[in-house]
Amino acid sequence: MTSKELLKTLNAHQLAYVDLELKNPANGEYMLTVFKLTPGSKLNMLQAACEVAAESSTGTNFMVITETPFSREMNALVYDIDKEHVWIAYPTRLFDRVGNVQNILTYVIGNVLGMKEVSGLKLMDVWFPPAMLEQYDGPSYTIDDMRRYLDVYDRPILGTIVKPKMGLTSAEYAEVAYDFWVGGGDFVKNDEPQANQDFCPYDKMVRHVKAAMNKAVKETGRKKVHSFNVSAADFDTMLERCELVRNAGFELGSYAFLIDGITAGWTAVQTLRRRYPDVFIHYHRASHGAYTRPENPFGFSVLVLSKFARLAGASGIHTGTAGVGKMKGSPEEDITAANGILRMKSQGHFFEQSWASITERDGDIANLIKQDNNGKEILIDDEWRGMKKCCPIISGGLNPTLLKPFIGVMGHTEFITTMGAGCHAHPKGTRAGATALVQACEAYTKGIDIREYAKKHKELAEAIVFFGKAKK
Ligand code: CAP
Ligand code: MG
Ligand code: MG
């Protein structure tokens, strides 16, 4: 059926949520979205789309007598449709005025994911108008700040997750962190379930990590970073954990706050961003698979999750290994997401998003974009220009032999990588695993094949043998 014919099938309730002639949806009044939609059995594509637009904005399943002319102005509008996708425009005035990501998501991936009218609904892309970029915090402390702190440029920041994921005492945990740092690694993160377990009390873990970091910095002469998981049962406890770290003598820049952004929630993410603009806010996306796995017809794409993380002010978010590591993923998904949050202007699955309102007086805009695409820091002092970058954190089943293959897919090195088993499964242990990772990175930056480089670098040679054999 043509859209004209589809329009004729709509009832009065559905007709209030469609305008296929909407002039200039990108006029700034709307947040734009594209959903992959499979209608429920009794509805056609447009009918189902209008039901989604209703339930995810002002409506419900019937037109109500209590509607007013103004409430109708707040209706989301289906403004385009094709065989599989629907384009819906949301008046930005629908959203909470304090720049609240949780509120937006409650609309667009709220009730609608449970509606009978659809048998598939996945939010594939989202476009934010400039006015929204000004209202939302966006990142404050970025990978560029971390690079300055670590004095690490032109290569990925090399990190690990301490493994086993859980079960080490605080002293044992810190020992592994120390071994990674003296092996040459830059960045150690708590794993996503790390909290205040009785065998590894939070305050003791913090103290031991501080001692380990002092020792490693002294021995290597290099700065180091630790990302503390501050996720907690309530905000008071979350903030207590932040303050524990900040009062343990860590210098600014040497610690990040990790938050399990989906299980702890978006309010936790934004609370950390607003309380600690001088700290790297590390968004771990544990349980994102329930929404993002390609075989799941309901949810949202990795790109959408990542774009909202940038809006909320995460300094970095895990964006996946594009299938190179252990988790499901693809370049279309993971690399699009990674570049979608890093750049000033990025092409998503459906929208080109500009994260900076660059004015004509900026003169050579094309040159600015080119510099940005080459990793030069543009959005520095004049944040008014736009939203700072959110960096991809690449993790999940990687090991030193996979660093170059991943960079080959990513196309650049503007990311943090964290390898857990990839370091701690090394036959000679964590320190050797870290050194193998550093050597694999050196080989990459020198343009030397890792097998060639391994001839004179034994830790890398051992990693190649071990992970080569371990390949499933
Ligand atoms: C990686 C990791 C991270 C994953 C999550 C894990 O450990 O600690 O949580 O990166 O996946 O538990 O798997 P390994 P993603 O390096 O040992 O796999 O980054 O895709 O969100
Ligand atoms: Mg309701
Ligand atoms: Mg983990």
Side-chain angles (χ1 to χ4, degrees), residues 201-214:
Y202 205 89
D203 54 347
K204 278 180 75 178
M205 182 268 293
V206 170
R207 280 202 307 276
H208 281 294
V209 168
K210 182 73 184 71
M213 185 185 280
N214 290 349

Side-chain angles (χ1 to χ4, degrees), residues 160-163 165 189-193 283-286 288 318-321 326-328 334 393-399 418-424:
T160 192
I161 312 100
V162 173
K163 300 287 183 181
K165 188 176 277 206
K189 74 179 266 290
N190 279 157
D191 220 333
E192 68 278 2
Y283 189 120
H284 193 287
R285 59 180 187 166
H288 74 93
H318 290 239
T319 50
T321 62
K326 74 184 180 189
M327 303 288 191
K328 274 235 162 180
D334 297 351
I393 300 169
I394 307 300
S395 183
L398 291 179
N399 66 63
T418 58
M419 298 186 187
C423 286
H424 313 300

Side-chain angles (χ1 to χ4, degrees), residues 141 146 159-161 187-192 225-231 255-262 268-269 272-273 276 279-286 309 313-319 390-395 416-418:
Y141 189 97
M146 191 182 284
T160 192
I161 312 100
F187 177 95
V188 176
K189 74 179 266 290
N190 279 157
D191 220 333
E192 68 278 2
V225 175
H226 188 278
S227 185
F228 290 94
N229 190 344
V230 295
S231 312
Y255 61 89
F257 290 147
L258 184 149
I259 186 75
D260 296 329
I262 295 180
V269 178
L272 292 174
R273 163 63 184 81
Y276 303 109
V279 180
F280 188 94
I281 307 299
H282 178 162
Y283 189 120
H284 193 287
R285 59 180 187 166
S315 308
I317 182 171
H318 290 239
T319 50
C390 174
C391 88
I393 300 169
I394 307 300
S395 183
I416 297 170
T417 183
T418 58

Side-chain angles (χ1 to χ4, degrees), residues 3-262:
S3 25
K4 273 213 176 15
E5 287 159 342
L6 284 169
L7 274 168
K8 288 197 188 100
T9 67
L10 301 184
N11 61 34
H13 166 61
Q14 291 159 349
L15 277 169
Y17 293 93
V18 61
D19 180 352
L20 298 178
E21 313 294 323
L22 183 64
K23 296 267 164 303
N24 186 14
N27 66 4
E29 286 168 46
Y30 302 102
M31 179 184 84
L32 305 180
T33 59
V34 177
F35 290 86
K36 185 162 193 263
L37 186 155
T38 309
S41 51
K42 301 197 182 65
L43 298 177
N44 66 41
M45 199 65 180
L46 191 56
Q47 289 166 334
C50 292
E51 293 296 344
V52 168
E55 182 63 44
S56 62
S57 64
T58 59
T60 174
N61 55 344
F62 284 98
M63 183 181 278
V64 294
I65 306 300
T66 44
E67 272 189 5
T68 67
F70 176 72
S71 76
R72 274 195 287 279
E73 278 178 39
M74 290 297 107
N75 290 4
L77 294 170
V78 177
Y79 67 94
D80 201 353
I81 186 169
D82 71 17
K83 282 201 184 58
E84 285 187 313
H85 300 95
V86 294
W87 283 250
I88 301 180
Y90 291 86
T92 55
R93 293 177 68 186
L94 276 171
F95 306 136
D96 187 359
R97 281 177 293 172
V98 293
N100 176 355
V101 167
Q102 164 277 327
N103 179 256
I104 302 176
L105 295 175
T106 298
Y107 281 108
V108 297
I109 53 156
N111 293 352
V112 285
L113 293 188
M115 289 172 76
K116 288 182 190 155
E117 285 81 356
V118 292
S119 47
L121 185 68
K122 191 163 228 179
L123 180 54
M124 297 308 291
D125 203 349
V126 61
W127 179 82
F128 306 119
M132 278 187 80
L133 299 183
E134 280 160 26
Q135 262 184 22
Y136 285 74
D137 302 293
S140 172
Y141 189 97
T142 70
I143 186 173
D144 293 318
D145 298 303
M146 191 182 284
R147 286 187 180 285
R148 268 188 288 279
Y149 178 75
L150 288 167
D151 192 23
V152 164
Y153 297 94
D154 306 323
R155 65 166 173 84
I157 289 174
L158 303 178
T160 192
I161 312 100
V162 173
K163 300 287 183 181
K165 188 176 277 206
M166 202 43 59
L168 297 181
T169 64
S170 38
E172 290 164 341
Y173 175 93
E175 200 60 41
V176 175
Y178 167 78
D179 286 343
F180 179 77
W181 281 323
V182 289
D186 308 307
F187 177 95
V188 176
K189 74 179 266 290
N190 279 157
D191 220 333
E192 68 278 2
Q194 185 91 32
N196 185 29
Q197 284 82 0
D198 62 30
F199 47 77
C200 186
Y202 205 89
D203 54 347
K204 278 180 75 178
M205 182 268 293
V206 170
R207 280 202 307 276
H208 281 294
V209 168
K210 182 73 184 71
M213 185 185 280
N214 290 349
K215 213 164 148 239
V217 167
K218 200 153 165 254
E219 286 174 22
T220 62
R222 301 284 306 180
K223 297 276 190 187
K224 304 294 178 183
V225 175
H226 188 278
S227 185
F228 290 94
N229 190 344
V230 295
S231 312
D234 58 68
F235 288 129
D236 293 341
T237 310
M238 178 180 83
L239 297 173
E240 260 166 44
R241 291 177 183 171
C242 295
E243 290 308 312
L244 248 177
V245 173
R246 281 165 84 83
N247 300 326
F250 289 92
E251 63 177 358
L252 219 42
S254 68
Y255 61 89
F257 290 147
L258 184 149
I259 186 75
D260 296 329
I262 295 180

Side-chain angles (χ1 to χ4, degrees), residues 440-472:
C441 192
E442 284 168 356
Y444 170 75
T445 39
K446 291 174 182 166
I448 302 168
D449 177 85
I450 57 169
R451 279 157 192 71
E452 188 53 37
Y453 204 70
K455 286 177 185 159
K456 295 199 180 103
H457 297 86
K458 69 177 169 54
E459 294 83 356
L460 181 55
E462 289 156 349
I464 292 170
V465 170
F466 177 78
F467 291 108
K469 268 205 207 98
K471 222 182 267 169
K472 288 194 181 80

